[in-house]
Amino acid sequence: MKHPNREIMQKTIALAKRKKMVGSLIVKGDKILARGWTTVYEDQLPFTHGEINAIKKACKKLGSFNLSGCWLYTTYEPCPMCAAASVWARLDGIVYGASMKKRNKVYTQRIFIPCKTVLKHGTPKLKLHEGFMRKECEKLLLLK
């Protein structure tokens, strides 16, 4: 499967609309391995971002922390924690829509380090597609 992929991002956006949170998918080939969305408020845990939840589910499904061959799709730019987790999980790449520059009262950003900066300092080197279907993802920031 070629990345970025419109069909996968449309599914990610649909998930975000249903959950009214950041939506994230982990895909391998043309198969969705895991879905995640932000559960910080329901879990009362600061690290349960959509990306982290999706990575955790994909690792459990594969029985490994090594997600080589997988891609993360997410509606909002991964924070430094989520970008670093993607490196630790050895994903092949990340595709995201809305930039952290579009933050608001609901979509806050506590550490202003762009995803690409974190990935630049990580090993392995993940591929990054920024702003994919950006306008559709930015509309999600108004759903609250």
Side-chain angles (χ1 to χ4, degrees), residues 3 25-27 69-73 91-95 127 129:
H3 300 283
L25 298 179
I26 301 287
V27 297
C70 298
W71 280 75
L72 168 66
Y73 277 72
L91 290 166
D92 281 4
I94 298 172
V95 178
K127 297 175 187 93
H129 295 280

Side-chain angles (χ1 to χ4, degrees), residues 55-75:
I55 289 169
K56 182 179 174 182
K57 288 176 184 176
C59 288
K60 280 188 173 190
K61 189 167 194 173
L62 294 179
S64 174
F65 66 85
N66 186 338
L67 298 180
S68 296
C70 298
W71 280 75
L72 168 66
Y73 277 72
T74 189
T75 55

